């Protein structure tokens, strides 16, 4: 029994050691990334929830196992509007580094509460990776530098834990998506196709006809199975790449960006919530040094201040009027917003490609 | 790093909601680390494909049926919640009522799942909201129907061949 426990313990240690090797970066890198992430959330991901108070309470069907199930109907006493204001204040504090750990936790808890009311219309959306990312960042030490009121520095082990856990969560999340696809799509029957069930309703009913969407019909139906198997292989293979090496993990993240880019181009489905979790594995040490060296310069402060003020001024009217806000991307014409999102995925893929090249050069001793 | 116990506990937390979703989607918890599977598929019949969806129809002032724009109709509710809302008959039906799964039945037996209580005020509030949404798009208030639509596509010709409406469901006037 003792021997068995020893063996399991050894395997467990090896499991986490391999993950740390694949994911480790530096705390300072995450501090620089915190500013990018804060601005990204403010412009593209922040939601308002006050509008839920205007919806008839009969539509309240909360998931059985959710926080909203503790309520008897949608709140109607300004609770959600208050949450909107606190969320906005939290994201400003995260970006500026004002007790970033505390405000990351506040943002996470209140977003989860607000989302659980949104998902009380009978369907749960799966944008959870953004919140999982914030949960991991809350104890990563990302608020300990480049901050107005820095957090206490965290132990190196805690920092390693944050990125390791995030990588495990990403792989597991992808596994949950791929597993059910594999059960339904792997049938070796060329007359059925999973990818087609996204193409046809999307193109003809939801009018997702932009970018490369019309060209997908030039592919003969029997060959569409290639897309099914490629998606399943990608989604189920995360853990293999993560445990293989740092280079393999970066390669998988590069494939992930190409996968999302392809979804945006062919199906016009932008899944931008996954962008920040992926990008947190990039080493931003150079950006950190640049920001640290220029932290006293007025142009940097003015630049970040201007972006924060603009983002805030856009959101506030929506909160006050209890209107729905889901990021500035939704104001733009559909075509422009899709191309901006494609550009984001291309940029992310390019960053991972550059990182891979740098790793290759390092290995070759150049 | 993480001890064996912590690793075991971590995977237990991760797998529990996943197993619940596999068992029955109605019991999917939130928050939980689950990504969308979208594991539906289409079957090719010689050259044609059939796609099912739901459409809402209202009555124009001159008495003809016309499709309601779902994005505008449901706003501020995002349009992706249209199907679950229709499935629940705009909140009049408990989504778990028709679930015959063993786990759901067990939860009902132990009164963990309770019936939804709807009073006249709820119905009135809903009717008013639906009417205002219909008027916004120039439809006559008090009349709203949902249809199941079956669209048939030709794969070779890459075009929509036909669209059939069936399974008429009256939403307004509420019986």
């Amino acid at each position: 029994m003792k021997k068995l426990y020893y063996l399991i313990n050894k395997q467990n240690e090896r499991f986490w050691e391999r993950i740390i090797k694949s994911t480790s970066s530096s705390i300072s890198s995450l501090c620089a990334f915190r500013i990018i992430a804060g601005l990204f959330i403010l412009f593209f991901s922040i939601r308002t929830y006050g509008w839920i108070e205007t919806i008839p309470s009969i539509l309240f069907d909360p998931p059985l196992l959710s926080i909203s199930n503790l309520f008897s109907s949608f709140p109607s006493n300004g609770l959600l509007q208050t949450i909107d204001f606190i969320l906005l204040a939290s994201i400003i504090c995260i970006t500026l580094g004002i007790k970033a750990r505390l405000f990351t936790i506040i943002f996470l808890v209140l977003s989860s509460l607000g989302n659980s009311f949104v998902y009380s219309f009978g369907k749960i959306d799966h944008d959870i990776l953004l919140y999982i990312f914030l949960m991991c960042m809350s104890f990563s030490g990302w608020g300990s530098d480049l901050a107005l009121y820095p957090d206490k520095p965290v132990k190196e082990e805690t920092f390693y834990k944050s990125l390791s856990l995030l990588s495990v969560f990403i792989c597991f999340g992808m596994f949950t998506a791929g597993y059910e696809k594999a059960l339904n799509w792997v049938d070796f029957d060329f007359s059925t196709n999973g990818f087609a069930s996204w193409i046809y309703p999307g193109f003809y009913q939801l009018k997702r006809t932009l970018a490369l969407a019309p060209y997908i019909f030039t592919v003969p139906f029997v060959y569409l199975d290639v897309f099914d198997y490629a998606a399943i292989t990608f989604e189920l293979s995360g853990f293999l790449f993560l445990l293989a090496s740092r280079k393999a993990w970066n390669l998988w993240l590069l494939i992930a960006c190409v996968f999302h880019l392809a979804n945006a181009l062919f199906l016009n489905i932008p899944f931008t919530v996954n962008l920040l979790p992926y990008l947190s594995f990039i080493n931003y040490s150079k950006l950190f040094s640049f920001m640290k060296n220029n932290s006293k310069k007025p142009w940097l402060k003015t630049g970040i201040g201007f972006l924060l003020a603009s983002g805030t001024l856009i959101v506030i009217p929506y909160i006050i009027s209890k209107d729905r806000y889901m990021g500035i991307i939704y104001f733009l014409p559909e075509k422009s917003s899709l191309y901006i999102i494609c550009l984001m995925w291309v940029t992310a893929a390019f960053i991972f490609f550059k990182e891979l090249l740098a790793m290759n050069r390092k290995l070759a001793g150049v | 790093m993480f001890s064996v116990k912590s690793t075991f506990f971590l995977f237990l937390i991760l797998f529990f909601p996943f197993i619940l979703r596999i068992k029955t989607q109605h019991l999917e918890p939130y928050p939980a680390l689950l990504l969308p599977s979208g594991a539906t598929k289409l079957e090719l019949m010689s050259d044609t494909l059939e796609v099912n969806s739901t459409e809402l129809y209202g009555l124009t002032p001159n008495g003809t049926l016309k499709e309601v724009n779902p994005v505008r109709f449901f706003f501020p509710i995002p349009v992706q919640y249209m199907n679950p809302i229709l499935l629940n008959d705009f909140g009049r039906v408990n989504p778990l009522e028709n679930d015959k799964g063993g786990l759901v039945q067990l939860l009902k037996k132990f009164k963990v799942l309770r019936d939804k209580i709807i009073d006249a005020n709820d119905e009135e509030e809903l009717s008013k909201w639906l009417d205002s949404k219909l008027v916004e798009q120039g439809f006559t208030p008090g009349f709203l129907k949902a249809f199941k639509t079956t669209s048939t596509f030709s794969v070779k010709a890459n075009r929509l061949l036909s669209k059939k409406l069936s399974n008429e469901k009256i939403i307004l006037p509420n019986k």
Side-chain angles (χ1 to χ4, degrees), chain B residues 24-117:
Chain B
T24 166
Q25 292 222 329
H26 289 135
L27 292 180
E28 181 178 334
Y30 182 82
L33 178 51
L34 297 168
L35 292 190
S37 75
T40 51
K41 58 184 179 182
L42 283 184
E43 193 177 354
L44 184 70
M45 291 162 288
S46 67
D47 172 49
T48 57
L49 286 171
E50 278 189 356
V51 178
N52 294 319
S53 65
T54 312
E55 284 174 3
L56 288 174
Y57 283 81
L59 202 64
T60 59
N62 55 20
T64 52
L65 273 185
K66 193 183 160 198
E67 194 191 340
V68 171
N69 179 330
V71 178
R72 282 181 62 198
F73 185 80
F74 281 95
F75 190 87
I77 302 172
V79 74
Q80 69 259 33
Y81 302 108
M82 176 175 116
N83 281 332
I85 288 174
L86 288 174
L87 212 65
N88 301 349
D89 195 14
F90 282 86
R92 293 162 180 149
V93 176
N94 188 333
L96 291 161
E97 222 159 75
N98 300 321
D99 194 319
K100 301 284 175 238
L103 198 54
V104 172
Q105 294 306 316
L106 193 74
L107 291 172
K108 277 182 183 171
K109 199 176 167 185
F110 285 100
K111 306 244 186 278
V112 179
L113 294 176
R114 285 155 294 169
D115 288 331
K116 193 172 174 179
I117 301 159

Side-chain angles (χ1 to χ4, degrees), chain A residues 12 16 57-58 61 65 115 125-126 157 176 180-181 184-185 187 191-193 197-198 200 204 324, chain B residues 1-2 4 7 21 28 30 34-38 40-42 44 49 76 80-81 88 116 125 153 158:
Chain A
N12 180 59
W16 289 109
S57 53
I58 194 170
D61 277 318
L65 301 170
N115 282 340
D125 281 346
H126 299 98
E157 197 195 336
T176 63
E180 284 176 82
K181 277 195 194 90
N184 285 301
W185 290 5
D187 54 7
S191 69
T192 63
N193 189 271
S197 74
W198 284 90
Y200 282 88
Y204 288 103
R324 194 183 84 195
Chain B
M1 214 30 197
F2 293 101
V4 176
T7 309
R21 180 168 85 174
E28 181 178 334
Y30 182 82
L34 297 168
L35 292 190
S37 75
T40 51
K41 58 184 179 182
L42 283 184
L44 184 70
L49 286 171
Q80 69 259 33
Y81 302 108
N88 301 349
K116 193 172 174 179
E125 188 191 16
F153 301 97
N158 181 24

